[in-house]
Structure formats: structure tokens, C-alpha cells
Amino acid sequence: GPLWEDPALMRAKARLNYVRDKLNILDTESLRTWGEHTRHLHLMEGVPARVRSGAQAELVTGAWLKLYELLHTFDDGLVQPLPLPDPESVVGLPVLRTAHVCEAPGAFVAATNHFV
């Protein structure tokens, strides 16, 4: 089994899978109706396009929005004046060091780039 498990999360996962299994047996028309219903409940609908247009940002996705919000929220703790290893560089220049793993299609890099 897993190294760590939260019983409340496992119960929520079981409930989610129960509902998902019910959706798998719906006919095509019912699935279309369900899709229309859930689209009306999706509060983020259109947000990436509005941000992309308004901020003139590239590759704005849900992931982009999440990372940008984190970068903006924790700006004071993330961007620090750090001494740079090159003695000819400007010491004390604000630096943000990041590492991005499995970066495809690149929304996190694009959000970081837009932030700086």
C-alpha cells in the first residue's frame, strides 16, 4: 500500500469514483446534458482567455493561473536579493530561482517569465 493515506481523502475518493461510475453508464444524450450542466457550474470558464488578452501573456492555462497566483501572493518570500557568483555582476540584484520538472507544455515557465 501507499506510504501515507488520509482516511477522509480515501472516503472522498470512493464517493467520487462512485459518481464517476454512474456517469460511465449514461447514454450519449444524457452525457451531453450533463456536460452542459457542468459547464454552467465551471467558475473558471473563460478566465484564461481573459487573462491572456488583458495581460498579454502567453500560454495561459489553469496551471499558469495557479502558479502566477502563488508567485504574486508570496512575492516577498520568493524574490530575494541574493549575491550572484560572478564578481562582475550586480550583487544584490533581485533573484528568483526556480526548478520546473516535467515541464510540458510550459505553462509554469510562461507564468514565471510573465511574473519576472
Side-chain angles (χ1 to χ4, degrees), residues 36-48:
E36 288 175 7
H37 169 70
T38 57
R39 267 192 297 285
H40 291 298
L41 297 176
H42 185 38
L43 300 177
M44 292 293 292
E45 184 75 27
V47 171

Short mmCIF file of all heavy atoms in Angstrom, two decimals, residues 36-48:
data_model
loop_
_atom_site.label_atom_id
_atom_site.label_comp_id
_atom_site.label_asym_id
_atom_site.label_seq_id
_atom_site.Cartn_x
_atom_site.Cartn_y
_atom_site.Cartn_z
N GLU A 36 -23.36 20.03 -20.48
CA GLU A 36 -23.90 21.40 -20.49
C GLU A 36 -24.10 21.90 -19.06
O GLU A 36 -23.78 23.04 -18.73
CB GLU A 36 -25.21 21.45 -21.25
CG GLU A 36 -25.06 21.29 -22.75
CD GLU A 36 -26.41 21.22 -23.46
OE1 GLU A 36 -27.45 21.43 -22.80
OE2 GLU A 36 -26.39 20.95 -24.67
N HIS A 37 -24.62 21.02 -18.21
CA HIS A 37 -24.86 21.37 -16.81
C HIS A 37 -23.56 21.74 -16.11
O HIS A 37 -23.46 22.77 -15.43
CB HIS A 37 -25.55 20.20 -16.10
CG HIS A 37 -25.61 20.33 -14.61
ND1 HIS A 37 -26.40 21.26 -13.98
CD2 HIS A 37 -24.94 19.67 -13.63
CE1 HIS A 37 -26.24 21.15 -12.66
NE2 HIS A 37 -25.36 20.20 -12.44
N THR A 38 -22.52 20.91 -16.25
CA THR A 38 -21.27 21.17 -15.55
C THR A 38 -20.55 22.39 -16.11
O THR A 38 -19.86 23.08 -15.36
CB THR A 38 -20.33 19.95 -15.59
OG1 THR A 38 -20.09 19.58 -16.95
CG2 THR A 38 -20.93 18.78 -14.84
N ARG A 39 -20.72 22.69 -17.39
CA ARG A 39 -20.11 23.90 -17.96
C ARG A 39 -20.68 25.15 -17.30
O ARG A 39 -19.96 26.13 -17.09
CB ARG A 39 -20.31 23.96 -19.48
CG ARG A 39 -19.16 23.35 -20.25
CD ARG A 39 -19.24 23.67 -21.72
NE ARG A 39 -20.41 23.13 -22.38
CZ ARG A 39 -20.59 21.85 -22.71
NH1 ARG A 39 -19.67 20.98 -22.43
NH2 ARG A 39 -21.68 21.45 -23.31
N HIS A 40 -21.95 25.14 -16.95
CA HIS A 40 -22.57 26.29 -16.29
C HIS A 40 -22.05 26.46 -14.86
O HIS A 40 -22.13 27.55 -14.30
CB HIS A 40 -24.09 26.17 -16.27
CG HIS A 40 -24.71 26.29 -17.62
ND1 HIS A 40 -24.61 27.43 -18.39
CD2 HIS A 40 -25.41 25.41 -18.36
CE1 HIS A 40 -25.24 27.25 -19.53
NE2 HIS A 40 -25.73 26.03 -19.53
N LEU A 41 -21.52 25.39 -14.28
CA LEU A 41 -21.02 25.44 -12.90
C LEU A 41 -19.53 25.74 -12.85
O LEU A 41 -18.99 25.97 -11.77
CB LEU A 41 -21.29 24.11 -12.20
CG LEU A 41 -22.76 23.74 -12.05
CD1 LEU A 41 -22.89 22.36 -11.43
CD2 LEU A 41 -23.50 24.77 -11.22
N HIS A 42 -18.85 25.72 -13.98
CA HIS A 42 -17.41 25.90 -14.02
C HIS A 42 -17.09 27.40 -13.92
O HIS A 42 -17.18 28.14 -14.89
CB HIS A 42 -16.84 25.31 -15.30
CG HIS A 42 -15.35 25.35 -15.39
ND1 HIS A 42 -14.53 25.11 -14.32
CD2 HIS A 42 -14.53 25.59 -16.43
CE1 HIS A 42 -13.28 25.20 -14.71
NE2 HIS A 42 -13.25 25.50 -15.97
N LEU A 43 -16.69 27.83 -12.72
CA LEU A 43 -16.48 29.25 -12.46
C LEU A 43 -15.27 29.82 -13.19
O LEU A 43 -15.17 31.03 -13.37
CB LEU A 43 -16.34 29.48 -10.95
CG LEU A 43 -17.55 29.07 -10.11
CD1 LEU A 43 -17.26 29.28 -8.63
CD2 LEU A 43 -18.79 29.84 -10.54
N MET A 44 -14.34 28.98 -13.59
CA MET A 44 -13.13 29.45 -14.26
C MET A 44 -13.31 29.55 -15.78
O MET A 44 -12.37 29.93 -16.48
CB MET A 44 -11.96 28.51 -13.96
CG MET A 44 -11.51 28.54 -12.51
SD MET A 44 -10.76 30.11 -12.06
CE MET A 44 -9.28 30.05 -13.03
N GLU A 45 -14.47 29.22 -16.27
CA GLU A 45 -14.73 29.27 -17.71
C GLU A 45 -14.40 30.66 -18.25
O GLU A 45 -14.89 31.66 -17.77
CB GLU A 45 -16.20 28.95 -17.98
CG GLU A 45 -16.57 28.89 -19.43
CD GLU A 45 -16.08 27.63 -20.10
OE1 GLU A 45 -15.94 26.62 -19.41
OE2 GLU A 45 -15.87 27.66 -21.32
N GLY A 46 -13.53 30.72 -19.21
CA GLY A 46 -13.20 31.97 -19.86
C GLY A 46 -12.11 32.79 -19.17
O GLY A 46 -11.62 33.76 -19.75
N VAL A 47 -11.74 32.43 -17.95
CA VAL A 47 -10.73 33.21 -17.23
C VAL A 47 -9.38 33.18 -17.94
O VAL A 47 -8.77 34.23 -18.14
CB VAL A 47 -10.61 32.78 -15.76
CG1 VAL A 47 -9.42 33.43 -15.07
CG2 VAL A 47 -11.90 33.10 -15.02
N PRO A 48 -8.88 32.00 -18.35
CA PRO A 48 -7.59 32.01 -19.05
C PRO A 48 -7.57 32.91 -20.28
O PRO A 48 -6.61 33.67 -20.49
CB PRO A 48 -7.37 30.54 -19.43
CG PRO A 48 -8.13 29.78 -18.39
CD PRO A 48 -9.35 30.63 -18.12
#
